[in-house]
Amino acid sequence: MDMNVLPELGTFLDPLALAIVGGGVVAGTVLRNASGDLARGVVALGQLPRRRFDVEPLVAQVSALGRIARRHGVIALDRSKIEDPDIAVAVAAIVDGASAKDVETLLEQRRCARFERHRGGWEVWSGAAELAPAMGMVGTLIGLVGMFAAMKDPQAIGGAMAVALLATLYGALLANLALLPVATRLKRRARHEAQERLRLQPALATLAGIEPGSGTLKEIAA
């Protein structure tokens, strides 16, 4: 393949087309989302390089808490150091005398609330992915208007045509190679965590029913 027939990289750079597409996506995203969702969307980017949520250490911790409760009663759990917020809230409720059903309900509410927060973050990026091609079309229309307005000036026609074509290109690339992949990955991570946290509910519900001398905890580590 003759590389000389390919246009230079600079040919694909147009500041006006970039400004139309990039500025339009940013403005549209800000206008259509609440400030809290915008913040969550930005913060969520920090999760992408990290490993996916792993529930196994938490299941092991609940199992250890169960052994403590069996030996000393659930009141002894009040002195345990717990970093995971869901387990901490559930254990606090258990120490206060919450039933197994109450604990399951509490955890389900927190799981759903967390998923909705994550949803707000990924929908920021999926919404931006929807806007990018539309802003590319806006840039195309602006370029065409400029081209028709400068029919008597051949040099101006070339610049306007470049805006018209490159704006569509920028919109397609931005949506499909950046924004949509980010939204998809965030959605998958949120769904994975929500699914994994389901495993904590029966374990902590069993913990709520433990009394001193109640026997082994077969269900805690399930």
PDB file of all heavy atoms in Angstrom, residues 131-162:
ATOM      1  N   LEU A 131     -25.007  12.535  22.391  1.00  0.00           N
ATOM      2  CA  LEU A 131     -24.890  13.912  21.913  1.00  0.00           C
ATOM      3  C   LEU A 131     -23.814  14.090  20.849  1.00  0.00           C
ATOM      4  O   LEU A 131     -23.950  14.933  19.958  1.00  0.00           O
ATOM      5  CB  LEU A 131     -24.571  14.842  23.089  1.00  0.00           C
ATOM      6  CG  LEU A 131     -25.716  15.205  24.035  1.00  0.00           C
ATOM      7  CD1 LEU A 131     -25.181  15.927  25.254  1.00  0.00           C
ATOM      8  CD2 LEU A 131     -26.733  16.078  23.308  1.00  0.00           C
ATOM      9  N   ALA A 132     -22.746  13.312  20.929  1.00  0.00           N
ATOM     10  CA  ALA A 132     -21.598  13.535  20.047  1.00  0.00           C
ATOM     11  C   ALA A 132     -21.951  13.453  18.556  1.00  0.00           C
ATOM     12  O   ALA A 132     -21.607  14.368  17.788  1.00  0.00           O
ATOM     13  CB  ALA A 132     -20.471  12.557  20.391  1.00  0.00           C
ATOM     14  N   PRO A 133     -22.643  12.405  18.093  1.00  0.00           N
ATOM     15  CA  PRO A 133     -23.005  12.397  16.659  1.00  0.00           C
ATOM     16  C   PRO A 133     -23.934  13.546  16.278  1.00  0.00           C
ATOM     17  O   PRO A 133     -23.854  14.075  15.168  1.00  0.00           O
ATOM     18  CB  PRO A 133     -23.695  11.037  16.485  1.00  0.00           C
ATOM     19  CG  PRO A 133     -23.208  10.193  17.613  1.00  0.00           C
ATOM     20  CD  PRO A 133     -23.033  11.139  18.744  1.00  0.00           C
ATOM     21  N   ALA A 134     -24.828  13.913  17.207  1.00  0.00           N
ATOM     22  CA  ALA A 134     -25.734  15.034  16.912  1.00  0.00           C
ATOM     23  C   ALA A 134     -24.953  16.335  16.766  1.00  0.00           C
ATOM     24  O   ALA A 134     -25.232  17.149  15.868  1.00  0.00           O
ATOM     25  CB  ALA A 134     -26.781  15.163  18.017  1.00  0.00           C
ATOM     26  N   MET A 135     -23.963  16.528  17.642  1.00  0.00           N
ATOM     27  CA  MET A 135     -23.136  17.730  17.516  1.00  0.00           C
ATOM     28  C   MET A 135     -22.288  17.681  16.244  1.00  0.00           C
ATOM     29  O   MET A 135     -22.000  18.721  15.633  1.00  0.00           O
ATOM     30  CB  MET A 135     -22.234  17.870  18.743  1.00  0.00           C
ATOM     31  CG  MET A 135     -22.970  18.185  20.034  1.00  0.00           C
ATOM     32  SD  MET A 135     -23.908  19.745  19.960  1.00  0.00           S
ATOM     33  CE  MET A 135     -25.582  19.125  19.776  1.00  0.00           C
ATOM     34  N   GLY A 136     -21.893  16.463  15.841  1.00  0.00           N
ATOM     35  CA  GLY A 136     -21.188  16.333  14.573  1.00  0.00           C
ATOM     36  C   GLY A 136     -22.056  16.764  13.404  1.00  0.00           C
ATOM     37  O   GLY A 136     -21.586  17.430  12.471  1.00  0.00           O
ATOM     38  N   MET A 137     -23.337  16.406  13.470  1.00  0.00           N
ATOM     39  CA  MET A 137     -24.258  16.835  12.408  1.00  0.00           C
ATOM     40  C   MET A 137     -24.474  18.347  12.438  1.00  0.00           C
ATOM     41  O   MET A 137     -24.578  18.987  11.387  1.00  0.00           O
ATOM     42  CB  MET A 137     -25.593  16.119  12.573  1.00  0.00           C
ATOM     43  CG  MET A 137     -26.603  16.429  11.482  1.00  0.00           C
ATOM     44  SD  MET A 137     -25.980  16.043   9.830  1.00  0.00           S
ATOM     45  CE  MET A 137     -25.848  14.241   9.957  1.00  0.00           C
ATOM     46  N   VAL A 138     -24.521  18.914  13.634  1.00  0.00           N
ATOM     47  CA  VAL A 138     -24.628  20.371  13.738  1.00  0.00           C
ATOM     48  C   VAL A 138     -23.425  21.034  13.068  1.00  0.00           C
ATOM     49  O   VAL A 138     -23.558  22.014  12.319  1.00  0.00           O
ATOM     50  CB  VAL A 138     -24.733  20.797  15.213  1.00  0.00           C
ATOM     51  CG1 VAL A 138     -24.584  22.318  15.350  1.00  0.00           C
ATOM     52  CG2 VAL A 138     -26.062  20.351  15.798  1.00  0.00           C
ATOM     53  N   GLY A 139     -22.230  20.500  13.349  1.00  0.00           N
ATOM     54  CA  GLY A 139     -21.036  21.044  12.713  1.00  0.00           C
ATOM     55  C   GLY A 139     -21.078  20.912  11.203  1.00  0.00           C
ATOM     56  O   GLY A 139     -20.636  21.808  10.466  1.00  0.00           O
ATOM     57  N   THR A 140     -21.616  19.787  10.731  1.00  0.00           N
ATOM     58  CA  THR A 140     -21.751  19.584   9.290  1.00  0.00           C
ATOM     59  C   THR A 140     -22.667  20.636   8.674  1.00  0.00           C
ATOM     60  O   THR A 140     -22.370  21.209   7.620  1.00  0.00           O
ATOM     61  CB  THR A 140     -22.295  18.175   9.002  1.00  0.00           C
ATOM     62  OG1 THR A 140     -21.344  17.214   9.461  1.00  0.00           O
ATOM     63  CG2 THR A 140     -22.535  17.982   7.516  1.00  0.00           C
ATOM     64  N   LEU A 141     -23.783  20.889   9.336  1.00  0.00           N
ATOM     65  CA  LEU A 141     -24.715  21.890   8.827  1.00  0.00           C
ATOM     66  C   LEU A 141     -24.097  23.285   8.826  1.00  0.00           C
ATOM     67  O   LEU A 141     -24.274  24.064   7.872  1.00  0.00           O
ATOM     68  CB  LEU A 141     -25.997  21.882   9.659  1.00  0.00           C
ATOM     69  CG  LEU A 141     -26.833  20.592   9.585  1.00  0.00           C
ATOM     70  CD1 LEU A 141     -28.004  20.655  10.536  1.00  0.00           C
ATOM     71  CD2 LEU A 141     -27.309  20.355   8.149  1.00  0.00           C
ATOM     72  N   ILE A 142     -23.359  23.601   9.876  1.00  0.00           N
ATOM     73  CA  ILE A 142     -22.689  24.906   9.928  1.00  0.00           C
ATOM     74  C   ILE A 142     -21.679  25.027   8.795  1.00  0.00           C
ATOM     75  O   ILE A 142     -21.565  26.067   8.127  1.00  0.00           O
ATOM     76  CB  ILE A 142     -22.012  25.101  11.304  1.00  0.00           C
ATOM     77  CG1 ILE A 142     -23.075  25.231  12.402  1.00  0.00           C
ATOM     78  CG2 ILE A 142     -21.104  26.328  11.284  1.00  0.00           C
ATOM     79  CD1 ILE A 142     -22.494  25.301  13.803  1.00  0.00           C
ATOM     80  N   GLY A 143     -20.923  23.931   8.569  1.00  0.00           N
ATOM     81  CA  GLY A 143     -19.952  23.952   7.485  1.00  0.00           C
ATOM     82  C   GLY A 143     -20.603  24.107   6.128  1.00  0.00           C
ATOM     83  O   GLY A 143     -20.108  24.842   5.259  1.00  0.00           O
ATOM     84  N   LEU A 144     -21.737  23.437   5.922  1.00  0.00           N
ATOM     85  CA  LEU A 144     -22.430  23.552   4.645  1.00  0.00           C
ATOM     86  C   LEU A 144     -22.976  24.960   4.429  1.00  0.00           C
ATOM     87  O   LEU A 144     -22.921  25.495   3.312  1.00  0.00           O
ATOM     88  CB  LEU A 144     -23.569  22.528   4.577  1.00  0.00           C
ATOM     89  CG  LEU A 144     -23.142  21.060   4.460  1.00  0.00           C
ATOM     90  CD1 LEU A 144     -24.355  20.148   4.514  1.00  0.00           C
ATOM     91  CD2 LEU A 144     -22.359  20.837   3.163  1.00  0.00           C
ATOM     92  N   VAL A 145     -23.508  25.548   5.499  1.00  0.00           N
ATOM     93  CA  VAL A 145     -23.996  26.932   5.385  1.00  0.00           C
ATOM     94  C   VAL A 145     -22.843  27.857   5.005  1.00  0.00           C
ATOM     95  O   VAL A 145     -22.972  28.726   4.130  1.00  0.00           O
ATOM     96  CB  VAL A 145     -24.650  27.376   6.700  1.00  0.00           C
ATOM     97  CG1 VAL A 145     -24.926  28.881   6.676  1.00  0.00           C
ATOM     98  CG2 VAL A 145     -25.945  26.619   6.946  1.00  0.00           C
ATOM     99  N   GLY A 146     -21.690  27.672   5.664  1.00  0.00           N
ATOM    100  CA  GLY A 146     -20.541  28.497   5.330  1.00  0.00           C
ATOM    101  C   GLY A 146     -20.067  28.275   3.904  1.00  0.00           C
ATOM    102  O   GLY A 146     -19.624  29.216   3.227  1.00  0.00           O
ATOM    103  N   MET A 147     -20.165  27.020   3.435  1.00  0.00           N
ATOM    104  CA  MET A 147     -19.739  26.724   2.073  1.00  0.00           C
ATOM    105  C   MET A 147     -20.639  27.407   1.048  1.00  0.00           C
ATOM    106  O   MET A 147     -20.167  28.017   0.086  1.00  0.00           O
ATOM    107  CB  MET A 147     -19.747  25.210   1.863  1.00  0.00           C
ATOM    108  CG  MET A 147     -19.245  24.770   0.486  1.00  0.00           C
ATOM    109  SD  MET A 147     -19.331  22.991   0.266  1.00  0.00           S
ATOM    110  CE  MET A 147     -21.120  22.752   0.260  1.00  0.00           C
ATOM    111  N   PHE A 148     -21.952  27.298   1.276  1.00  0.00           N
ATOM    112  CA  PHE A 148     -22.875  27.930   0.330  1.00  0.00           C
ATOM    113  C   PHE A 148     -22.783  29.447   0.369  1.00  0.00           C
ATOM    114  O   PHE A 148     -23.021  30.124  -0.642  1.00  0.00           O
ATOM    115  CB  PHE A 148     -24.301  27.485   0.622  1.00  0.00           C
ATOM    116  CG  PHE A 148     -24.560  26.048   0.262  1.00  0.00           C
ATOM    117  CD1 PHE A 148     -25.173  25.194   1.169  1.00  0.00           C
ATOM    118  CD2 PHE A 148     -24.192  25.543  -0.965  1.00  0.00           C
ATOM    119  CE1 PHE A 148     -25.401  23.872   0.849  1.00  0.00           C
ATOM    120  CE2 PHE A 148     -24.419  24.220  -1.295  1.00  0.00           C
ATOM    121  CZ  PHE A 148     -25.021  23.380  -0.387  1.00  0.00           C
ATOM    122  N   ALA A 149     -22.438  29.990   1.545  1.00  0.00           N
ATOM    123  CA  ALA A 149     -22.323  31.442   1.653  1.00  0.00           C
ATOM    124  C   ALA A 149     -21.061  31.963   0.980  1.00  0.00           C
ATOM    125  O   ALA A 149     -20.945  33.168   0.735  1.00  0.00           O
ATOM    126  CB  ALA A 149     -22.341  31.853   3.129  1.00  0.00           C
ATOM    127  N   ALA A 150     -20.111  31.066   0.710  1.00  0.00           N
ATOM    128  CA  ALA A 150     -18.835  31.506   0.132  1.00  0.00           C
ATOM    129  C   ALA A 150     -18.605  30.885  -1.235  1.00  0.00           C
ATOM    130  O   ALA A 150     -17.476  30.570  -1.604  1.00  0.00           O
ATOM    131  CB  ALA A 150     -17.700  31.140   1.085  1.00  0.00           C
ATOM    132  N   MET A 151     -19.660  30.677  -1.996  1.00  0.00           N
ATOM    133  CA  MET A 151     -19.541  30.039  -3.305  1.00  0.00           C
ATOM    134  C   MET A 151     -18.653  30.831  -4.263  1.00  0.00           C
ATOM    135  O   MET A 151     -18.038  30.266  -5.171  1.00  0.00           O
ATOM    136  CB  MET A 151     -20.924  29.851  -3.917  1.00  0.00           C
ATOM    137  CG  MET A 151     -21.797  28.837  -3.175  1.00  0.00           C
ATOM    138  SD  MET A 151     -21.108  27.178  -3.182  1.00  0.00           S
ATOM    139  CE  MET A 151     -21.296  26.730  -4.906  1.00  0.00           C
ATOM    140  N   LYS A 152     -18.567  32.130  -4.045  1.00  0.00           N
ATOM    141  CA  LYS A 152     -17.764  32.966  -4.944  1.00  0.00           C
ATOM    142  C   LYS A 152     -16.292  33.001  -4.541  1.00  0.00           C
ATOM    143  O   LYS A 152     -15.478  33.605  -5.240  1.00  0.00           O
ATOM    144  CB  LYS A 152     -18.327  34.388  -4.971  1.00  0.00           C
ATOM    145  CG  LYS A 152     -19.726  34.469  -5.563  1.00  0.00           C
ATOM    146  CD  LYS A 152     -20.216  35.901  -5.598  1.00  0.00           C
ATOM    147  CE  LYS A 152     -21.617  35.983  -6.197  1.00  0.00           C
ATOM    148  NZ  LYS A 152     -22.115  37.381  -6.249  1.00  0.00           N
ATOM    149  N   ASP A 153     -15.970  32.395  -3.386  1.00  0.00           N
ATOM    150  CA  ASP A 153     -14.587  32.398  -2.897  1.00  0.00           C
ATOM    151  C   ASP A 153     -14.101  30.957  -2.797  1.00  0.00           C
ATOM    152  O   ASP A 153     -14.382  30.264  -1.816  1.00  0.00           O
ATOM    153  CB  ASP A 153     -14.520  33.081  -1.529  1.00  0.00           C
ATOM    154  CG  ASP A 153     -13.087  33.247  -1.039  1.00  0.00           C
ATOM    155  OD1 ASP A 153     -12.161  32.735  -1.704  1.00  0.00           O
ATOM    156  OD2 ASP A 153     -12.898  33.882   0.018  1.00  0.00           O
ATOM    157  N   PRO A 154     -13.384  30.445  -3.760  1.00  0.00           N
ATOM    158  CA  PRO A 154     -12.939  29.039  -3.764  1.00  0.00           C
ATOM    159  C   PRO A 154     -12.137  28.659  -2.523  1.00  0.00           C
ATOM    160  O   PRO A 154     -12.248  27.543  -2.022  1.00  0.00           O
ATOM    161  CB  PRO A 154     -12.093  28.941  -5.041  1.00  0.00           C
ATOM    162  CG  PRO A 154     -12.597  30.045  -5.915  1.00  0.00           C
ATOM    163  CD  PRO A 154     -12.974  31.153  -4.983  1.00  0.00           C
ATOM    164  N   GLN A 155     -11.311  29.553  -2.007  1.00  0.00           N
ATOM    165  CA  GLN A 155     -10.503  29.240  -0.834  1.00  0.00           C
ATOM    166  C   GLN A 155     -11.378  29.048   0.411  1.00  0.00           C
ATOM    167  O   GLN A 155     -11.133  28.161   1.227  1.00  0.00           O
ATOM    168  CB  GLN A 155      -9.481  30.356  -0.594  1.00  0.00           C
ATOM    169  CG  GLN A 155      -8.427  30.461  -1.707  1.00  0.00           C
ATOM    170  CD  GLN A 155      -7.415  31.538  -1.409  1.00  0.00           C
ATOM    171  OE1 GLN A 155      -7.590  32.362  -0.522  1.00  0.00           O
ATOM    172  NE2 GLN A 155      -6.329  31.540  -2.187  1.00  0.00           N
ATOM    173  N   ALA A 156     -12.407  29.846   0.548  1.00  0.00           N
ATOM    174  CA  ALA A 156     -13.305  29.724   1.699  1.00  0.00           C
ATOM    175  C   ALA A 156     -14.142  28.453   1.626  1.00  0.00           C
ATOM    176  O   ALA A 156     -14.499  27.873   2.652  1.00  0.00           O
ATOM    177  CB  ALA A 156     -14.207  30.948   1.793  1.00  0.00           C
ATOM    178  N   ILE A 157     -14.436  28.017   0.412  1.00  0.00           N
ATOM    179  CA  ILE A 157     -15.239  26.796   0.248  1.00  0.00           C
ATOM    180  C   ILE A 157     -14.508  25.593   0.833  1.00  0.00           C
ATOM    181  O   ILE A 157     -15.097  24.740   1.498  1.00  0.00           O
ATOM    182  CB  ILE A 157     -15.554  26.562  -1.251  1.00  0.00           C
ATOM    183  CG1 ILE A 157     -16.513  27.620  -1.754  1.00  0.00           C
ATOM    184  CG2 ILE A 157     -16.142  25.167  -1.461  1.00  0.00           C
ATOM    185  CD1 ILE A 157     -16.819  27.513  -3.240  1.00  0.00           C
ATOM    186  N   GLY A 158     -13.196  25.513   0.611  1.00  0.00           N
ATOM    187  CA  GLY A 158     -12.420  24.386   1.135  1.00  0.00           C
ATOM    188  C   GLY A 158     -12.453  24.320   2.648  1.00  0.00           C
ATOM    189  O   GLY A 158     -12.632  23.247   3.234  1.00  0.00           O
ATOM    190  N   GLY A 159     -12.290  25.462   3.304  1.00  0.00           N
ATOM    191  CA  GLY A 159     -12.331  25.472   4.767  1.00  0.00           C
ATOM    192  C   GLY A 159     -13.694  25.090   5.312  1.00  0.00           C
ATOM    193  O   GLY A 159     -13.801  24.346   6.292  1.00  0.00           O
ATOM    194  N   ALA A 160     -14.741  25.588   4.685  1.00  0.00           N
ATOM    195  CA  ALA A 160     -16.091  25.268   5.139  1.00  0.00           C
ATOM    196  C   ALA A 160     -16.411  23.793   4.919  1.00  0.00           C
ATOM    197  O   ALA A 160     -17.053  23.146   5.752  1.00  0.00           O
ATOM    198  CB  ALA A 160     -17.108  26.144   4.417  1.00  0.00           C
ATOM    199  N   MET A 161     -15.958  23.251   3.809  1.00  0.00           N
ATOM    200  CA  MET A 161     -16.175  21.832   3.547  1.00  0.00           C
ATOM    201  C   MET A 161     -15.430  20.966   4.557  1.00  0.00           C
ATOM    202  O   MET A 161     -15.923  19.913   4.986  1.00  0.00           O
ATOM    203  CB  MET A 161     -15.727  21.499   2.123  1.00  0.00           C
ATOM    204  CG  MET A 161     -15.873  20.021   1.766  1.00  0.00           C
ATOM    205  SD  MET A 161     -17.593  19.459   1.832  1.00  0.00           S
ATOM    206  CE  MET A 161     -18.224  20.195   0.327  1.00  0.00           C
ATOM    207  N   ALA A 162     -14.236  21.395   4.945  1.00  0.00           N
ATOM    208  CA  ALA A 162     -13.472  20.660   5.952  1.00  0.00           C
ATOM    209  C   ALA A 162     -14.235  20.613   7.279  1.00  0.00           C
ATOM    210  O   ALA A 162     -14.301  19.575   7.943  1.00  0.00           O
ATOM    211  CB  ALA A 162     -12.104  21.303   6.144  1.00  0.00           C
TER     212      ALA A 162
END
